[in-house]
Amino acid sequence: MAMGGLTGVPLRAEQRLPHSHRPGGIWPPRRPLHRPFGLGQQLGGFTLKRQKHVPELQLTAYDLQHDKTGAEYLHIERDDKNNVFSIGFKTNPPDATGVPHILEHTTLCGSEKYPVRDPFFKMLPRSLSNFMNAFTSSDHTTYPFATTNRKDFNNLLSVYLDATLNPLLNENDFAQEGWRIGPANPGQQTQGDDAGQQLVFKGVVYNEMKGQMSDASYLYYIKFQDHIFPAINNSGGDPQKMTDLNYSDLKAYHARHYHPSNAKLFTYGDIPLADHIAEISRQLENFSPSQADRAIMSPVDLSKGPFQYTVKGPIDPLVDKEMQYKTSTSWLMGDTSDMAESFALRILSSLLLDGYGSPLYRGLIEAGLGPDWSPNTGYDSSGKVGIFSVGLNGVRKEDVAKVKEATNASLHEVYTRGFDPSKIDGLLHQAELGLKHKTANFGMSIMQRLQPGWFNGSDTFNMLAWNHTVNTFKANCAQPGYLEGLLKKYLMNDRCLTFTMEPDETYGTTLVEEEDTRLSSKLATAAQCAGGEAEARAQFIKKDLELLEAQSKAPNENLSCLPSVHVSDIPRQMERKTVRESKVGDVSVQWREANTNGVTYFRAINALEGLPAELRVLMPLFADSLMRLGTKDRTMEQLEDLIKLKTGGIAVSYHSSTSPYDIQNVTEGMSISGYALDGNVNAMYELIGTVIQETNFDGPDAESRIRELLQSAANGALDAIAGAGHSYARRYTEAGLTPQGLLNEQIGGLTQVQQTALLASRNLSEGLADVISKLKAIQRFALSNSLGFRTAITCGPESVSSNESALQGFLSTVKRSSEIAPGGESRGPATAYNSKTFFPLPYQVYYSALALPTVPYTHVASAPLQILSQLLTHKHLHHEVREKGGAYGGGAYSRGLGGLFGFYSYRDPNPLNTLKIIQDAGRWARDKQWTEQDLEEAKLSVFQAVDAPESVNEEGMTRFLSGVDEAMEQRKRMQLLDVKIQNVNDVAQTYLVDGMTKARVAVLGEQKGLGSACKMAMDVDADDDLLQDPSDQEYPVLERQPSYYNPLHTFNLAKGELKQYQQQYADIYFLRLAKLKPAVEAIADEEWKEFEIAGDTVRRVDRVLDVRQGELCWVAGTVYMDMPLKPNILDDISKDHWISAPPPREKYLSPTGVDQIMLEDESGRVRLIGTPLQATMLVTGCIIAVMGTENSNGDFEVIDLKVPDLPRQPQRWERDEASAVLSNTTGKKRKSDANEEHTTGGKIAIVSGLCISGDQGDTMTLDLLMEYLLGEALGPSEQSAVSKISRLIIAGNSIAEGTPLALREEEKKASKKYGYDSSAYNPAPTAHFDNFLASLLPSIPITLIPGERDPANVSIPQQPIHPAMFPRSRNYSAVPGSSEPGWFDSVTNPWEGDVDGWRMMGTGGQPIDDVFKYVEGDDRLEMMESLLRWRCGAPTAPDTLWCYPFQDNDPFVIEECPHVYFVGNQPRYDTTVIEGPAGQAVRLICVPQFKETGEVVVLDTDTLEPEIVRFSVYEGKP
């Protein structure tokens, strides 16, 4: 079924350089894991025929045969927890109807033991497997899975064996998975919809193979196979022949082929053989022997060659119309069961074909005959007889014959010259490294490597004997002329087949006409049998509706018969892969020390700020050019040889990653990687530096070779899209939503395809000088030892020291700075990507995608969104889009790091219906009555990827590449495990229903017919022109509506003599306790009333001193943290006060654990101990109630504790119900007016930490911020959005720390002055800030909150900054004595007020920064939540936070719960929503310092959803 890949016949031509994919590693010999068995021993119905230990692969193989049926069984025992199972059958296809392929699908639709609809897909979310699939190959079909969970393995083993050996094979399943005739949309046909009533061919496999046949490369390959291997028909199925297959043929084919006598079973891993045999024997015992299909097919006899065949194929619109031919020449090789010769032929193929210096590349591609190899090029050893093919895509008509001539000429030249021994050594070195490389999927790799030969008569033990094969090759190769002899024997003759595909402009039309004719014929035949066309049509519709009814019942069927693992089987703690950080010079290095078998893996990221879009789109071409052009001193052939001899490969590519805290914050740069044996690390670094820094873009052949690269990329682009069209559609939709999406589209999406095609189609006369100039610009900054350069190394502990030295030497050769040439937009506007887009492409099926923005990785909604994506995929979209809609695939996804949620369909015959389903998916999920079983299955699906095994070189890379460390991963793990049903419903409403207005849609497919309907449905202009005439549209003048603004004056102090500082600070604590004690006591009394332990009922005591030893009681009081590291004024006075004060401490927490928690009231104090205290955040000044007993030491052992929790929350607009009509000039409106307008999408911008110093350094960033808020640097759509920002709130630290004026030299020599020196005062910061405010105020009202560094009193509450500091801006302030706020409102810190009816509270950050010193960790949101639940905005004042000595009232007590609580000057942006016991909901926002991050928070006053806008300035050289 190939649910994860293509079900059709896999390409027989193996990957070139197969050694680079060799699985496994070389270890010291080890004994078998389990007790050895004797040859001939009977094991539960099996006989052990032989066994073999393979030390180089650290495995032991067991060859067994089932006594009763003859089933073959290969078990590979290895110390690997990722266990693998596969059952396969020889399935030579009798015709091209695709019966093996359709049977592969239908087999998994239900079995005797598991008689539910589609148990395979139903098991996907009930498993922790890291691989589950099924494959139809050319002559065999296999069903493999892999999992690290023992219970899961047994579950899947039972399901797979019963599915393949005892399937139900219902006719409805054949119709669904294979083919049928029915209405295009049976869900609409009853409503009189003409399109819905049109009868069409349908079926999952039918549509899949129509998509496959749209891939010109696949089409060429499969037609080539038809000619060179006529004995093996197209096992995937030709849609033109598929409709000849009937249900009875399918059942008969299963009976002949899916029998244990025709089966090959495979297991791998650390589960004992005896355990496998028990279950497998039980499944096989009911079968009797049967005739096995042992026919091994051979290719056509070429002894009387040469043969030539030509077929017609489609036009590629992305390629030059004159370069549309594909042609190849093929020879038959030797028997592939001869392992030594087959290995030698594979080496021979690599020597001839691999690399830009290979003789056939030079003789064909470099000679200009074509830009890329044909799909069948290479040595194919998957059959009994090997086949070697050489061919080209993109050939001109006049050059078709020349390709074979050039091939023969190159082969004769190689034979005459001979092979370079160093090149052979390089390939063998690659093979050695491939063995040493420890992969996570070794078991799957070895299974896939063995099975083609196993089904064609090769000895599996010989295939596993790697050292023997290599040593035999080395011995043979030591004989003169060995490889040259093989070349002459097999290739230097005319016993060959030349196969050509010529372009046909009518090819697509012909296919459509053929399908129409075939359908008409089927309908005519049915009409004869049914007694008329109407009767036949009615029968087809009835059958389709019966299938639809069966499909509709499937989601609600009882699945209790299916086994499952459970969430409880998932460890709550992730497996730790320890990494450490160090510095080599100024470069950060991440180290992962592990058993790497003597291999070192290197990765580096060179972060690039301000990269212009015109250079970014050329990054893929730059990376390709590095491996093509060579240097001034070395050719690319010489460099390739060195890379093969000294490394396992080096790579350069583009890198980008979204911040886990903010989806608008993206870093990009160059990724550099390589791996080598420990002894070759220095050579690897030298090669990396040479390739990147010395590639010669000015060489005489540079332009022609870059043109080759462009033509090669363009030539394969259309086929690449056909194979993964949904991915291209997804990238395009995401480009309009997030910066990361935009970068991905520019680098690897349709934008990149278009750019490549345009450059590839340039005339020779136009040249590529401008492109080369840009590539050279990239080269200048691609590798630089700058602040943005960081590395990661994975190696064994024994090689750390040598790696440090090697890295230090490498970095010393790298230039210190980078220059990014200015030019154009850094990213380009996301709005350039339409919200609904249709791409007309010559495919027979469609690919669609819809995406919308969500939240960052660290957001609390990220986890339920991931769960929701799996629920929608498995419980809704698979059913609607695949089973009922006929698409080959469809689902939902959530990019946790990218902040995106999306949907897709793949090879879809009906994208319009799919899009309707997708657009309603949010409402469906919101209203669905999810069960706990549904939730558990979704979590299991998520953890299949989360806990998938990693290859050693991947360990620690998540942290290095994305910034997501293990603490974040662990936190996300816990969030995923703890997701509740309500969480899922909530995010469905918030992000899929409410957020659907932000969605973007893309569809790829045929322009005619459905494509036209698709365009109309999507409101997309049918005109394909990219350039259009200027619009005559008149754009409206945008007008910013001010917010409704009603500040409170909670924290304003008395003025003049009424403001006193003589009183004691202790009164604040008594005032706080008196106000909050009733609230916390009410909660405690409700919770603990009648609570008892061992018959002892808890009682309330009024005072701390009333607590009695051994008595269960509860009491309320004020927390005091006794922390020796806290500043203490009495200690300071008692010490020598001439000693200068120590620097402020970052934390008051004692590392020795001597801190104590006290509870006090007016009567006294008691020390608190107990486990609940460790799980609760507490600081001095918060009011709590504790329940417990006093022990013999006088300590109060806490059993439980309570806090006051959130106070009453006012309703929106509550304060303004009686408001009168107020003047618009004040920025106020009537409440009724505001209610009318609050749905128009108003927004509030919040910024903090401007830290204006007055020097030139802040000018550019502030100008960007100002231009953004004024809409001066934006397009019309962005201006419209920014005009919704109705108020700017500046939350502290607007001015930088004191920056006195520099003294002139003569002033320095003057006499020293003591005390305040007014001449050193620097007015520039405030003057600059005043100018900034004055520029904004004509357009937007501003609320200014002071901060720690601003010119206001230091103690809190800080009073408004005096208007005298703002000579220009104060004109916008309220008139003195007025009760109404001004357009410019300078307020207190903390501050609270109503904005657009919402109660908001904010500070400049000091209370949270002070709480941070009391507690472990740095979770600012948790601190903010605690303050609200304590009902105290500054609990540590006056203990460690300076404040005014209040006597009559503690204003820091929160009497009404805000709707929004923001805190300025925090280390990073973060946000969440917390809820209270009475339905209160508060949006918490950590506002980062603008000076450090360039980030501004924009809050939507309709939804209270925040977003981040980020500004950055490239500070490199111009």
Side-chain angles (χ1 to χ4, degrees):
M1 189 174 294
M3 281 62 164
L6 304 179
T7 300
V9 184
L11 297 185
R12 296 175 61 90
E14 295 180 353
Q15 294 287 335
R16 295 185 293 280
L17 270 181
H19 41 268
S20 66
H21 301 285
R22 293 291 181 194
I26 298 175
W27 300 270
R30 295 178 58 180
R31 295 180 179 178
L33 292 175
H34 307 291
R35 177 178 58 84
F37 302 100
L39 295 184
Q41 183 175 343
Q42 300 292 312
L43 300 170
F46 284 86
T47 298
L48 178 63
K49 296 168 60 179
R50 54 183 178 156
Q51 64 185 30
K52 181 182 182 66
H53 184 57
V54 186
E56 63 268 30
L57 300 179
Q58 200 187 18
L59 60 82
T60 301
Y62 299 88
D63 181 13
L64 304 101
Q65 187 169 34
H66 191 240
D67 299 331
K68 185 176 181 181
T69 65
E72 298 179 35
Y73 178 20
L74 176 65
H75 173 68
I76 293 181
E77 176 185 271
R78 190 165 181 263
D79 188 10
D80 186 347
K81 66 179 181 180
N82 195 22
N83 287 272
V84 176
F85 168 82
S86 170
I87 183 171
F89 304 93
K90 186 73 171 179
T91 50
N92 289 314
D95 47 42
T97 59
V99 59
H101 188 183
I102 295 174
L103 179 59
E104 174 224 309
H105 279 243
T106 314
T107 294
L108 298 176
C109 287
S111 65
E112 293 178 5
K113 186 176 180 180
Y114 306 107
V116 299
R117 188 170 186 81
D118 218 348
F120 178 86
F121 280 102
K122 300 256 185 347
M123 281 299 295
L124 284 173
R126 301 169 75 91
S127 165
L128 287 171
S129 64
N130 52 77
F131 189 91
M132 274 182 70
N133 217 322
F135 297 111
T136 300
S137 300
S138 57
D139 58 2
H140 61 277
T141 305
T142 53
Y143 298 80
F145 68 79
T147 180
T148 60
N149 185 283
R150 179 76 175 266
K151 178 181 177 182
D152 193 32
F153 186 96
N154 293 333
N155 291 346
L156 292 174
L157 178 64
S158 176
V159 171
Y160 265 58
L161 287 173
D162 201 61
T164 53
L165 299 176
N166 304 301
L168 298 178
L169 298 183
N170 292 323
E171 188 168 5
N172 267 347
D173 295 328
F174 169 72
Q176 171 185 291
E177 298 296 319
W179 74 273
R180 65 190 186 277
I181 296 174
N185 192 342
Q188 294 179 0
Q189 64 87 25
T190 57
Q191 301 170 20
D193 178 49
D194 293 339
Q197 290 188 22
Q198 180 184 357
L199 294 180
V200 296
F201 285 121
K202 304 164 68 173
V204 172
V205 176
Y206 186 82
N207 288 320
E208 178 196 349
M209 295 313 296
K210 283 179 69 175
Q212 278 285 78
M213 291 298 190
S214 297
D215 180 341
S217 292
Y218 175 84
L219 180 65
Y220 177 87
Y221 180 81
I222 209 66
K223 294 297 184 184
F224 161 74
Q225 284 291 312
D226 289 344
H227 288 81
I228 201 165
F229 233 123
I232 295 184
N233 291 288
N234 182 354
S235 62
D238 184 341
Q240 296 181 5
K241 305 293 184 182
M242 197 175 292
T243 51
D244 294 336
L245 180 68
N246 59 51
Y247 174 56
S248 59
D249 294 335
L250 181 86
K251 296 194 70 174
Y253 188 83
H254 177 270
R256 290 194 304 270
H257 293 84
Y258 278 50
H259 188 281
S261 299
N262 195 42
K264 298 185 188 297
L265 297 114
F266 173 89
T267 53
Y268 162 91
D270 62 0
I271 298 177
L273 171 62
D275 292 3
H276 291 316
I277 284 180
E279 175 62 19
I280 293 173
S281 295
R282 190 185 64 78
Q283 294 271 11
L284 302 186
E285 64 185 6
N286 294 326
F287 288 87
S288 300
S290 176
Q291 183 65 41
D293 181 2
R294 304 190 187 278
I296 297 175
M297 303 300 180
S298 296
V300 67
D301 182 8
L302 297 182
S303 61
K304 297 181 180 180
F307 298 96
Q308 293 188 10
Y309 299 97
T310 301
V311 299
K312 296 186 182 300
I315 297 286
D316 188 334
L318 298 179
V319 176
D320 189 329
K321 291 184 178 180
E322 302 299 319
M323 300 172 63
Q324 296 282 339
Y325 284 78
K326 294 178 173 67
T327 186
S328 66
T329 300
S330 303
W331 293 264
L332 301 184
M333 311 297 273
D335 189 332
T336 56
S337 63
D338 183 342
M339 292 296 113
E341 184 180 81
S342 188
F343 179 81
L345 291 173
R346 191 173 289 114
I347 294 288
L348 176 66
S349 174
S350 295
L351 291 169
L352 292 173
L353 289 165
D354 289 348
Y356 297 114
S358 63
L360 287 174
Y361 185 93
R362 285 182 167 180
L364 278 69
I365 295 178
E366 200 169 281
L369 295 176
D372 197 13
W373 299 117
S374 63
N376 59 335
T377 295
Y379 174 58
D380 173 11
S381 61
S382 61
K384 179 64 174 175
V385 177
I387 300 173
F388 180 78
S389 303
V390 181
L392 295 176
N393 292 335
V395 181
R396 291 179 173 83
K397 182 178 182 179
E398 61 270 21
D399 290 338
V400 170
K402 297 178 183 177
V403 173
K404 180 181 177 183
E405 295 171 4
T407 299
N408 288 329
S410 297
L411 294 176
H412 279 82
E413 182 183 349
V414 171
Y415 178 77
T416 302
R417 189 182 68 242
F419 292 103
D420 184 347
S422 67
K423 294 182 183 293
I424 300 172
D425 291 341
L427 292 174
L428 291 175
H429 176 259
Q430 294 286 296
E432 178 189 0
L433 266 175
L435 278 175
K436 283 180 171 288
H437 177 52
K438 297 178 68 174
T439 63
N441 59 347
F442 180 91
M444 287 299 304
S445 298
I446 205 166
M447 180 209 74
Q448 291 170 337
R449 177 184 162 208
L450 293 175
Q451 282 193 330
W454 192 10
F455 277 103
N456 282 284
S458 294
D459 189 310
T460 54
F461 278 26
N462 288 345
M463 287 190 279
L464 289 171
W466 175 254
N467 277 354
H468 176 75
T469 300
V470 173
N471 291 335
T472 302
F473 170 77
K474 289 179 178 179
N476 291 337
C477 208
Q479 304 298 317
Y482 173 64
L483 287 176
E484 291 81 358
L486 291 176
L487 175 64
K488 182 178 181 179
K489 175 182 178 181
Y490 289 116
L491 301 180
M492 295 180 63
N493 58 67
D494 225 8
R495 298 186 298 274
C496 58
L497 182 150
T498 299
F499 182 76
T500 302
M501 180 178 283
E502 62 181 13
D504 180 2
E505 293 185 353
T506 66
Y507 184 83
T509 304
T510 302
L511 284 181
V512 173
E513 291 174 350
E514 187 280 331
E515 186 176 52
D516 290 343
T517 301
R518 183 161 33 95
L519 178 62
S520 298
S521 175
K522 291 284 185 184
L523 293 176
T525 301
Q528 291 178 356
C529 297
E533 181 179 341
E535 289 77 6
R537 176 180 293 273
Q539 287 182 4
F540 282 124
I541 292 175
K542 179 185 177 184
K543 283 188 175 182
D544 214 50
L545 288 176
E546 289 173 353
L547 174 60
L548 181 64
E549 183 181 2
Q551 291 169 333
S552 300
K553 293 178 180 178
N556 300 315
E557 67 181 329
N558 185 355
L559 303 180
S560 59
C561 66
L562 288 177
S564 179
V565 290
H566 302 285
V567 171
S568 58
D569 296 319
I570 302 173
R572 290 188 69 83
Q573 293 295 319
M574 65 182 287
E575 182 181 355
R576 302 286 180 174
K577 305 288 178 63
T578 304
V579 299
R580 62 180 178 85
E581 293 280 349
S582 74
K583 287 275 191 179
V584 174
D586 295 330
V587 175
S588 296
V589 185
Q590 174 184 293
W591 295 92
R592 168 64 182 154
E593 297 174 28
N595 177 16
T596 63
N597 291 324
V599 178
T600 291
Y601 300 92
F602 168 78
R603 179 77 70 101
I605 299 294
N606 188 22
L608 305 173
E609 287 289 338
L611 181 65
E614 62 177 7
L615 296 186
R616 180 182 303 109
V617 294
L618 292 175
M619 285 289 204
L621 179 60
F622 172 76
D624 290 341
S625 299
L626 295 182
M627 297 299 170
R628 178 66 187 100
L629 302 185
T631 68
K632 291 180 180 179
D633 302 324
R634 288 173 175 155
T635 65
M636 195 64 234
E637 180 181 5
Q638 292 171 324
L639 288 171
E640 283 180 332
D641 290 344
L642 284 171
I643 290 171
K644 291 174 184 176
L645 275 169
K646 298 297 183 181
T647 79
I650 60 176
V652 178
S653 61
Y654 174 81
H655 165 79
S656 64
S657 179
T658 300
S659 164
Y661 301 103
D662 174 17
I663 62 176
Q664 299 300 320
N665 184 355
V666 176
T667 58
E668 62 178 330
M670 192 71 72
S671 172
I672 305 158
S673 61
Y675 70 101
L677 296 173
D678 291 342
N680 290 334
V681 170
N682 282 312
M684 176 184 70
Y685 285 144
E686 182 182 352
L687 285 166
I688 288 173
T690 298
V691 166
I692 297 178
Q693 298 182 127
E694 299 180 24
T695 290
N696 185 13
F697 287 94
D698 295 320
D701 299 325
E703 182 168 325
S704 63
R705 290 176 178 176
I706 291 172
R707 190 180 296 276
E708 284 175 17
L709 294 172
L710 289 167
Q711 291 176 343
S712 176
N715 190 274
L718 194 67
D719 296 338
I721 297 172
H726 61 304
S727 296
Y728 283 89
R730 277 158 52 168
R731 274 194 286 269
Y732 191 86
T733 60
E734 293 168 4
L737 298 173
T738 66
Q740 176 77 61
L742 182 61
L743 301 184
N744 289 342
E745 169 63 20
Q746 291 176 351
I747 290 295
L750 294 168
T751 302
Q752 177 68 209
V753 171
Q754 181 187 41
Q755 164 86 3
T756 302
L758 288 173
L759 293 178
S761 63
R762 276 193 184 181
N763 293 325
L764 289 173
S765 59
E766 188 176 355
L768 296 170
D770 59 325
V771 175
I772 292 174
S773 175
K774 293 173 182 176
L775 294 175
K776 290 165 66 178
I778 296 173
Q779 186 182 33
R780 286 194 289 271
F781 58 73
L783 181 62
S784 59
N785 191 348
S786 63
L787 294 177
F789 192 81
R790 54 193 175 87
T791 66
I793 292 178
T794 301
C795 63
E798 71 282 355
S799 63
V800 169
S801 178
S802 61
N803 266 299
E804 285 180 333
S805 300
L807 181 60
Q808 194 164 15
F810 169 61
L811 294 175
S812 67
T813 67
V814 177
K815 59 185 179 180
R816 295 291 301 175
S817 61
S818 62
E819 298 179 3
I820 299 181
E825 290 285 339
S826 173
R827 289 177 184 162
T831 51
Y833 295 86
N834 298 327
S835 61
K836 296 180 180 179
T837 311
F838 178 82
F839 292 92
L841 291 171
Y843 304 141
Q844 300 178 58
V845 287
Y846 295 84
Y847 307 85
S848 61
L850 180 149
L852 33 79
T854 56
V855 296
Y857 179 88
T858 54
H859 195 284
V860 292
S862 179
L865 282 167
Q866 275 188 267
I867 301 298
L868 174 61
S869 70
Q870 295 301 311
L871 286 167
L872 283 170
T873 296
H874 295 293
K875 301 299 182 181
H876 184 51
L877 298 173
H878 171 79
H879 174 66
E880 294 291 332
V881 176
R882 187 181 190 278
E883 291 183 345
K884 293 167 68 174
Y888 181 53
Y893 64 94
S894 177
R895 296 196 195 283
L897 194 58
L900 291 160
F901 195 98
F903 305 84
Y904 65 91
S905 69
Y906 178 67
R907 293 178 178 168
D908 187 353
N910 196 350
L912 290 180
N913 185 58
T914 297
L915 289 175
K916 292 176 183 177
I917 293 167
I918 286 172
Q919 288 168 340
D920 193 54
R923 282 186 289 272
W924 184 89
R926 177 198 63 193
D927 300 335
K928 170 74 173 174
Q929 297 298 312
W930 299 109
T931 66
E932 291 297 329
Q933 178 66 29
D934 294 334
L935 196 63
E936 172 149 302
E937 291 179 7
K939 291 178 182 180
L940 291 172
S941 298
V942 169
F943 274 89
Q944 290 172 5
V946 171
D947 285 348
E950 288 182 312
S951 299
V952 67
N953 61 309
E954 296 171 343
E955 294 174 359
M957 284 299 104
T958 299
R959 179 181 187 272
F960 179 72
L961 297 175
S962 67
V964 176
D965 59 25
E966 283 193 336
M968 293 183 194
E969 287 189 274
Q970 180 60 38
R971 191 179 307 119
K972 173 60 73 66
R973 184 185 191 87
M974 303 292 281
Q975 291 171 343
L976 287 167
L977 290 170
D978 294 337
V979 167
K980 308 298 183 189
I981 291 174
Q982 187 60 49
N983 302 143
V984 172
N985 292 334
D986 290 346
V987 294
Q989 174 65 44
T990 301
Y991 300 102
L992 271 59
V993 178
D994 299 340
M996 191 57 70
T997 56
K998 302 175 184 177
R1000 293 180 179 250
V1001 180
V1003 177
L1004 285 61
E1006 179 62 48
Q1007 183 173 3
K1008 297 178 182 178
L1010 185 57
S1012 301
C1014 205
K1015 284 186 175 183
M1016 291 186 289
M1018 294 169 63
D1019 297 325
V1020 179
D1021 193 345
D1023 187 359
D1024 293 326
D1025 293 338
L1026 296 176
L1027 300 178
Q1028 300 179 2
D1029 294 333
S1031 172
D1032 295 329
Q1033 178 182 357
E1034 293 186 6
Y1035 292 95
V1037 177
L1038 297 175
E1039 185 174 340
R1040 174 176 272 143
Q1041 294 295 327
S1043 58
Y1044 180 85
Y1045 182 65
N1046 192 355
L1048 292 165
H1049 303 285
T1050 310
F1051 301 99
N1052 287 75
L1053 299 178
K1055 298 184 182 297
E1057 296 180 355
L1058 297 176
K1059 186 163 54 177
Q1060 300 289 333
Y1061 286 91
Q1062 290 83 5
Q1063 56 268 35
Q1064 293 293 317
Y1065 283 94
D1067 291 339
I1068 297 178
Y1069 289 126
F1070 296 131
L1071 292 170
R1072 189 177 302 168
L1073 181 60
K1075 188 173 288 189
L1076 292 178
K1077 189 174 182 179
V1080 73
E1081 286 184 336
I1083 292 174
D1085 186 63
E1086 177 68 23
E1087 185 71 20
W1088 297 330
K1089 183 168 52 179
E1090 298 180 357
F1091 180 86
E1092 46 177 67
I1093 297 178
D1096 190 6
T1097 303
V1098 68
R1099 75 178 187 89
R1100 170 180 174 271
V1101 296
D1102 293 328
R1103 303 182 308 157
V1104 168
L1105 285 184
D1106 293 336
V1107 173
R1108 296 290 179 264
Q1109 182 177 332
E1111 182 180 64
L1112 183 64
C1113 64
W1114 65 267
V1115 63
T1118 305
V1119 171
Y1120 174 75
M1121 305 296 292
D1122 187 359
M1123 312 174 83
L1125 297 184
K1126 277 197 311 183
N1128 189 313
I1129 186 70
L1130 295 178
D1131 286 348
D1132 293 343
I1133 293 174
S1134 66
K1135 294 175 182 176
D1136 187 351
H1137 55 272
W1138 294 107
I1139 299 176
S1140 60
R1145 297 184 185 276
E1146 182 179 353
K1147 289 281 190 181
Y1148 299 147
L1149 279 171
S1150 171
T1152 60
V1154 297
D1155 301 330
Q1156 300 183 46
I1157 305 174
M1158 306 292 185
L1159 186 72
E1160 62 181 19
D1161 60 13
E1162 67 280 3
S1163 69
R1165 175 185 293 180
V1166 64
R1167 185 171 69 172
L1168 304 180
I1169 61 172
T1171 303
L1173 302 177
Q1174 300 172 6
T1176 307
M1177 182 178 291
L1178 295 174
V1179 300
T1180 294
C1182 60
I1183 310 301
I1184 65 172
V1186 293
M1187 177 180 67
T1189 60
E1190 185 181 55
N1191 62 22
S1192 59
N1193 295 326
D1195 299 331
F1196 191 86
E1197 295 187 10
V1198 177
I1199 298 174
D1200 194 10
L1201 64 81
K1202 298 297 174 187
V1203 297
D1205 217 327
L1206 303 185
R1208 172 192 173 276
Q1209 188 175 54
Q1211 296 295 317
R1212 189 180 183 187
W1213 305 110
E1214 181 177 304
R1215 287 180 64 210
D1216 310 292
E1217 289 180 350
S1219 294
V1221 178
L1222 300 173
S1223 170
N1224 279 339
T1225 60
T1226 65
K1228 269 195 171 184
K1229 297 173 279 195
R1230 287 181 305 155
K1231 184 255 181 185
S1232 58
D1233 294 336
N1235 266 324
E1236 291 173 4
E1237 297 179 13
H1238 86 276
T1239 58
T1240 60
K1243 298 182 179 181
I1244 302 165
I1246 310 173
V1247 67
S1248 72
L1250 296 175
C1251 299
I1252 296 174
S1253 61
D1255 59 28
Q1256 207 167 8
D1258 6 70
T1259 302
M1260 182 62 76
T1261 310
L1262 284 177
D1263 285 350
L1264 287 174
L1265 173 60
M1266 181 172 64
E1267 290 174 3
Y1268 168 76
L1269 292 171
L1270 296 177
E1272 294 175 352
L1274 305 168
S1277 59
E1278 290 90 350
Q1279 287 177 335
S1280 176
V1282 171
S1283 70
K1284 304 293 185 183
I1285 298 178
S1286 58
R1287 177 166 292 274
L1288 171 65
I1289 299 176
I1290 303 176
N1293 287 359
S1294 302
I1295 306 297
E1297 288 188 280
T1299 52
L1301 288 174
L1303 297 177
R1304 296 189 299 271
E1305 193 62 34
E1306 57 270 22
E1307 292 174 332
K1308 293 180 181 178
K1309 297 177 181 178
S1311 58
K1312 185 178 180 181
K1313 295 181 179 180
Y1314 296 93
Y1316 173 69
D1317 183 3
S1318 61
S1319 65
Y1321 168 67
N1322 186 359
T1326 52
H1328 196 172
F1329 184 39
D1330 184 31
N1331 292 334
F1332 172 76
L1333 295 174
S1335 299
L1336 292 174
L1337 282 167
S1339 174
I1340 185 170
I1342 296 175
T1343 298
L1344 175 62
I1345 301 173
E1348 184 179 16
R1349 301 174 183 175
D1350 291 325
N1353 56 299
V1354 176
S1355 61
I1356 64 168
Q1358 287 182 287
Q1359 297 304 286
I1361 301 176
H1362 199 280
M1365 305 297 293
F1366 310 111
R1368 294 185 62 195
S1369 306
R1370 65 185 177 189
N1371 296 325
Y1372 295 89
S1373 299
V1375 176
S1378 171
S1379 60
E1380 300 299 331
W1383 195 263
F1384 173 42
D1385 193 18
S1386 181
V1387 299
T1388 61
N1389 174 26
W1391 167 85
E1392 63 177 340
D1394 290 354
V1395 183
D1396 281 348
W1398 300 109
R1399 176 66 51 82
M1400 301 184 70
M1401 184 173 78
T1403 76
Q1406 297 99 310
I1408 294 297
D1409 292 341
D1410 201 54
V1411 168
F1412 163 77
K1413 298 178 181 181
Y1414 282 79
V1415 300
E1416 294 182 1
D1418 188 20
D1419 191 335
R1420 302 298 174 115
L1421 289 178
E1422 183 182 2
M1423 300 175 205
M1424 294 169 65
E1425 178 179 1
S1426 296
L1427 262 63
L1428 291 178
R1429 297 198 186 278
W1430 295 332
R1431 298 195 192 182
C1432 187
T1436 60
D1439 184 27
T1440 51
L1441 184 64
W1442 291 1
C1443 75
Y1444 181 77
F1446 293 100
Q1447 289 292 293
D1448 303 320
N1449 179 49
D1450 180 3
F1452 302 125
V1453 171
I1454 303 172
E1455 300 193 15
E1456 288 190 320
C1457 183
H1459 298 99
V1460 178
Y1461 176 32
F1462 62 88
V1463 176
N1465 298 293
Q1466 296 305 291
R1468 67 184 69 89
Y1469 166 76
D1470 209 348
T1471 184
T1472 191
V1473 174
I1474 64 169
E1475 297 178 353
Q1480 307 98 316
V1482 187
R1483 166 66 67 180
L1484 309 183
I1485 305 174
C1486 290
V1487 184
Q1489 294 190 49
F1490 182 81
K1491 180 75 171 179
E1492 299 296 327
T1493 65
E1495 294 175 346
V1496 177
V1497 179
V1498 179
L1499 181 69
D1500 190 312
T1501 57
D1502 287 346
T1503 64
L1504 295 186
E1505 283 289 330
E1507 61 178 328
I1508 277 286
V1509 178
R1510 185 170 183 264
F1511 304 88
S1512 61
V1513 178
Y1514 171 62
E1515 297 179 354
K1517 297 180 181 179

